[in-house]
Amino acid sequence: MDFERLAVENQEPEIVETEDEIRAKLTERFSALNLISQQTVNGKNKALIVSGPAGVGKSHNVLQAAREFEKRGGKVGVIKGFCRPTGLYRALYDHSAQNDVLIFDDADSAFGDPVSLNLLKAACELSENRRISWMAETKMLTDEGDRLPRTFEYSGNIVFITNIDMQAAVDRGHGLAAHFDALMSRSLYIDLGMKNKRDCIVRIKQVVESGALSSHGITSTDAREILGFVEENSDKLRELSLRLVVKIGHLKRNNPVQWKSLAKVTCVR
């Protein structure tokens, strides 16, 4: 499955908003993300889905809440990259205790397999007793060599951080729409509301203005110059993300005179 295409194709018709309206929208949604991710990690919600384009800071709030939870003795698992149904079943088992947390950070392969989706739907049920089963012949073992049970009670909490716009997929009747709809009905769903380049640029501006990029060695003066370059070349850049700003920041720090020409060579299509 082409997940990148699924994340961006057939988006809603563009609504022309002022920059102030976009800022207000993003502030509201990222504030909600901050609050609800903390509540989910701390066991007040069973499941949360966070949907938005790559490189806009989706993971930051969730992982920050998870680190704080771990400091208080909580158990957190983070899945990134490829995940088979067997690996998913084991991960759910390993984090099945009351208030354990399992975070899927751009592990979108789990959403492309109906078996994995059925496991996730069972884990996200709103009922108090969530039972997960594996009735295939495949034998799975724990780290100690014991066989995993074919069924177990799941009492943990799950956060999905994904580039897939599940609501858009449901609205247009995608092949996995029924699964996505079922997951969303069992979870709190936050769409970060970035549907076009302008939304992404405003989000980058907000982060630059907050001074958050100083942790990457990017001064406020450099950040403003880089932002000007990004806006000027927004139609030609390979991506519009905070990662791009950090990459250009490193080029500027290492090549204070040539950074723009180097950025055009490395970041522009």
Side-chain angles (χ1 to χ4, degrees):
M1 177 179 295
D2 187 343
F3 285 110
E4 182 177 355
R5 178 175 57 81
L6 178 57
V8 301
E9 72 171 5
N10 293 334
Q11 294 171 345
E12 297 177 2
E14 184 175 346
I15 299 174
V16 178
E17 298 174 295
T18 67
E19 182 164 326
D20 285 343
E21 288 173 333
I22 296 172
R23 283 176 176 270
K25 172 185 68 177
L26 297 181
T27 297
E28 179 182 43
R29 296 192 182 210
F30 275 91
S31 295
L33 170 60
N34 184 45
L35 177 62
I36 297 174
S37 61
Q38 289 184 37
Q39 292 175 343
T40 305
V41 165
N42 286 283
K44 295 182 179 180
N45 304 309
K46 288 184 171 66
L48 168 65
I49 301 171
V50 184
S51 171
V56 296
K58 297 190 305 294
S59 303
H60 175 76
N61 293 35
V62 175
L63 296 179
Q64 186 176 47
R67 285 191 291 270
E68 293 299 320
F69 181 64
E70 283 185 308
K71 289 178 183 177
R72 298 193 301 273
K75 184 177 180 181
V76 177
V78 179
I79 295 177
K80 294 177 70 74
F82 184 72
C83 180
R84 291 184 184 277
T86 49
L88 173 60
Y89 185 81
R90 176 171 172 172
L92 291 167
Y93 178 78
D94 288 342
H95 298 83
S96 60
Q98 184 73 36
N99 293 334
D100 283 358
V101 180
L102 193 56
I103 298 172
F104 294 80
D105 187 5
D106 288 336
D108 289 345
S109 60
F111 301 134
D113 186 295
V115 175
S116 293
L117 285 164
N118 283 327
L119 291 173
L120 292 174
K121 286 187 289 185
C124 294
E125 280 288 358
L126 296 176
S127 60
E128 288 302 318
N129 298 315
R130 291 172 282 167
R131 195 158 191 82
I132 299 178
S133 301
W134 182 271
M135 296 303 178
E137 292 303 314
T138 306
K139 296 180 180 180
M140 291 179 280
L141 305 177
T142 66
D143 287 337
E144 291 74 29
D146 300 322
R147 185 170 179 174
L148 264 64
R150 290 190 175 274
T151 186
F152 63 91
E153 293 290 335
Y154 183 77
S155 300
N157 308 302
I158 299 180
V159 181
F160 305 102
I161 307 168
T162 178
N163 299 338
I164 297 175
D165 188 335
M166 290 189 181
Q167 186 61 63
V170 170
D171 291 344
R172 68 174 181 271
H174 185 272
L176 295 174
H179 290 291
F180 291 162
D181 194 39
L183 268 184
M184 289 191 294
S185 74
R186 291 161 168 78
S187 311
L188 292 175
Y189 183 80
I190 298 179
D191 178 349
L192 292 177
M194 282 173 279
K195 306 299 183 182
N196 53 52
K197 291 179 179 180
R198 192 155 171 254
D199 290 340
C200 292
I201 288 175
V202 173
R203 170 60 182 164
I204 291 171
K205 282 184 178 180
Q206 286 182 318
V207 175
V208 167
E209 291 164 1
S210 73
L213 297 180
S214 61
S215 61
H216 295 278
I218 301 174
T219 67
S220 57
T221 300
D222 284 349
R224 285 192 296 271
E225 289 186 43
I226 294 166
L227 185 57
F229 175 88
V230 168
E231 289 188 274
E232 183 182 339
N233 295 278
S234 61
D235 290 335
K236 298 175 286 186
L237 292 168
R238 292 196 181 92
E239 61 175 315
L240 273 173
S241 68
L242 296 171
R243 285 194 292 264
L244 174 72
V245 176
V246 172
K247 287 191 292 187
I248 296 177
H250 292 164
L251 283 174
K252 191 175 189 305
R253 184 178 59 200
N254 296 330
N255 308 276
V257 177
Q258 296 175 283
W259 71 273
K260 284 188 179 181
S261 62
L262 293 172
K264 287 180 179 179
V265 170
T266 58
C267 302
V268 172
R269 291 193 296 269

